[in-house]
């Protein structure tokens, strides 16, 4: 594996399978009363969040703590960033504290790549602008594999605001590496101009895709990133691209519904669908901890896992 995890494209098929297999091993300790392993004792993980997060920030913290790493949580709000301190100076300050890994979320696409040039430790991209969110794609693949088995030939339909979604880009890259067939469904206004070069198909017809899909992944409509009118009304968007009970009835019996969160209930996904047995949304959050444990363990070269899990 490379030293950093900036993009899902950094992962070969063997790398991705190693992370998912390691997460499978680590999931075994999640059922124990004591969930902690000593494998990263003495290592320091810095969580550097310049943008809001609930799931990713908490799960990276839980993952590092379950591996016995020391954790420093940095939030831009309330820090010297508000006095104008740059990303580079912030990074060098954290470097001086001995970070072995820096987990970064930033509103600027490319910030993790820049950071990787300034620090000695491993950099993990926890979401950069509209670019990538590779550990979300890993936890999504882990969730799909647990529900459906190997991903080769599985048909995954990703629906909604692809234009502003770092989750969609990372999922397309990772799922194609793992042999899945991905189709993006969105209004033309919410597709990136270069989507033709992505390793996936594109459709504008959600109803036609539903019976063919093993996975339907709904994306959040990211109104906070929209500086123009991308669709006529929210009601019209829901009518064309929202997942409701009637649409779910067109999916095959074993197909699953995913959403990375946070959700706009009632817009891209109906509440009754989000809370239904087909939905893996809560599982995705739990799987985020084990998948991020696997990433930190492999990047930081933790002690032998087999021995520790058997103890
Ligand atoms: N899925 C995801 O990245 O959620 P958060 O923004 O809450 O971390």
């Amino acid at each position: 594996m490379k030293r950093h995890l900036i993009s899902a494209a950094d992962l070969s098929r063997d790398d991705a399978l190693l992370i998912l297999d390691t997460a499978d091993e680590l999931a075994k300790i999640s059922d124990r009363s004591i969930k902690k392993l000593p494998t990263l004792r003495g290592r320091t993980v810095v969580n550097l969040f310049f943008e809001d997060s609930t799931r990713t920030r908490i799960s990276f913290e839980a993952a590092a703590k379950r591996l016995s790493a020391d954790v420093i949580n940095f939030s831009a709000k309330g820090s010297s960033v508000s006095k104008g301190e740059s990303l580079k100076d912030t990074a060098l300050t954290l470097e001086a504290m001995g970070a072995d890994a820096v987990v970064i979320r930033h509103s600027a696409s490319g910030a993790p790549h820049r950071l990787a040039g300034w620090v000695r430790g491993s950099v993990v991209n926890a979401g950069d602008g509209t670019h990538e969110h590779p550990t979300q794609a890993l936890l999504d693949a882990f969730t799909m594999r647990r529900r459906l088995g190997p991903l080769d030939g599985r048909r995954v339909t990703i629906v909604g605001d692809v234009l502003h979604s770092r989750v969609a880009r990372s999922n397309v890259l990772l799922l194609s590496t793992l042999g899945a067939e991905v189709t993006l469904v969105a209004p033309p206004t919410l597709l990136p101009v270069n989507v033709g070069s992505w390793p996936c198909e594109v459709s504008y017809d959600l109803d036609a895709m539903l019976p063919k899909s093993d996975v339907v992944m709904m994306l959040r409509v990211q109104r906070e990133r929209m500086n123009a009118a991308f669709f006529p009304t929210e009601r019209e968007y829901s009518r064309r691209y929202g997942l409701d009970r009637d649409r779910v009835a067109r999916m095959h019996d074993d197909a699953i519904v995913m959403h990375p969160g946070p959700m706009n209930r009632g817009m891209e996904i109906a509440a009754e669908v989000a809370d239904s047995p087909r939905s893996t949304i809560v599982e995705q959050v739990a799987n985020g901890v084990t998948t991020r444990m696997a990433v930190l363990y492999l990047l930081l070269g933790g002690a032998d896992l087999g021995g520790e899990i058997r103890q």
Side-chain angles (χ1 to χ4, degrees):
M1 268 181 62
K2 292 184 175 174
R3 183 155 64 96
H4 308 294
L5 179 54
I6 310 287
S7 162
D10 292 338
L11 300 171
S12 66
R13 181 181 166 87
D14 284 349
D15 291 335
L17 290 173
L18 176 63
I19 294 170
L20 300 183
D21 291 344
T22 304
D24 267 328
E25 287 296 304
L26 289 164
K28 292 175 188 162
I29 67 159
S30 299
D31 300 328
R32 295 184 185 171
S33 53
I34 297 172
K35 297 178 169 53
K36 217 160 167 153
L37 292 174
T39 187
L40 294 185
R41 193 183 287 149
R43 305 298 192 89
T44 300
V45 174
V46 174
N47 291 321
L48 192 54
F49 278 70
F50 291 88
E51 206 185 50
D52 294 344
S53 168
T54 300
R55 281 148 283 268
T56 311
R57 187 173 54 79
I58 291 172
S59 62
F60 265 114
E61 181 175 352
K65 285 181 171 168
R66 283 190 192 176
L67 293 171
S68 302
D70 295 324
V71 181
I72 298 172
N73 288 315
F74 171 95
S75 166
K77 282 179 194 145
S79 75
S80 289
V81 169
S82 59
K83 299 177 203 162
E85 187 162 37
S86 68
L87 173 62
K88 181 172 183 178
D89 287 332
T90 305
L92 294 178
T93 301
L94 295 168
E95 175 82 347
M97 293 176 189
D100 295 292
V102 181
V103 176
I104 177 171
R105 170 168 288 194
H106 203 286
S107 59
S109 300
H113 176 76
R114 296 286 288 161
L115 184 68
W118 295 324
V119 297
R120 281 188 298 269
S122 293
V123 173
V124 182
N125 181 359
D128 62 330
T130 59
H131 178 227
E132 283 225 36
H133 195 352
T135 60
Q136 178 70 43
L138 283 163
L139 76 87
D140 290 340
F142 181 79
T143 304
M144 288 177 213
R145 208 173 73 147
R146 290 213 133 190
R147 281 274 192 132
L148 305 169
L151 298 185
D152 298 274
R154 289 292 186 181
R155 288 163 301 184
V156 180
T157 302
I158 301 178
V159 186
D161 183 359
V162 179
L163 181 66
H164 301 105
S165 177
R166 51 201 179 201
V167 174
R169 188 191 303 264
S170 288
N171 262 293
V172 168
L173 292 170
L174 182 69
L175 290 169
S176 66
T177 298
L178 291 171
E181 295 167 18
V182 184
T183 302
L184 299 174
V185 178
T189 50
L190 287 177
L191 285 168
V193 283
N194 67 342
V195 73
S197 66
W198 293 22
C200 62
E201 302 293 319
V202 172
S203 167
Y204 305 108
D205 187 349
L206 176 56
D207 291 319
M209 291 307 304
L210 291 173
K212 304 182 213 168
S213 303
D214 298 304
V215 177
V216 176
M217 182 185 295
M218 304 307 295
L219 299 173
R220 184 169 69 87
V221 175
Q222 298 194 36
R223 281 172 285 203
E224 77 278 13
R225 296 192 202 273
M226 292 184 183
N227 54 8
F230 289 88
F231 44 83
T233 62
E234 291 187 4
R235 195 175 161 152
E236 174 66 6
Y237 180 89
S238 274
R239 196 180 66 76
R240 292 284 305 276
Y241 297 100
L243 192 63
D244 61 11
R245 185 173 47 181
D246 292 344
R247 286 204 161 110
V248 168
R250 290 178 213 156
M251 293 167 59
H252 70 72
D253 288 347
D254 299 328
I256 58 173
V257 171
M258 305 184 78
H259 193 304
M263 292 179 272
N264 297 308
R265 285 175 181 257
M267 190 172 179
E268 70 263 3
I269 188 166
E272 61 187 333
V273 174
D275 299 331
S276 71
R278 276 184 194 276
S279 163
T280 63
I281 294 166
V282 177
E283 278 165 60
Q284 286 170 261
V285 176
N287 291 340
V289 178
T290 37
T291 309
R292 287 168 176 136
M293 284 172 79
V295 168
L296 292 174
Y297 166 77
L298 290 167
L299 287 178
L300 297 183
D304 171 49
L305 196 56
E308 289 179 352
I309 286 182
R310 281 192 293 274
Q311 275 171 15

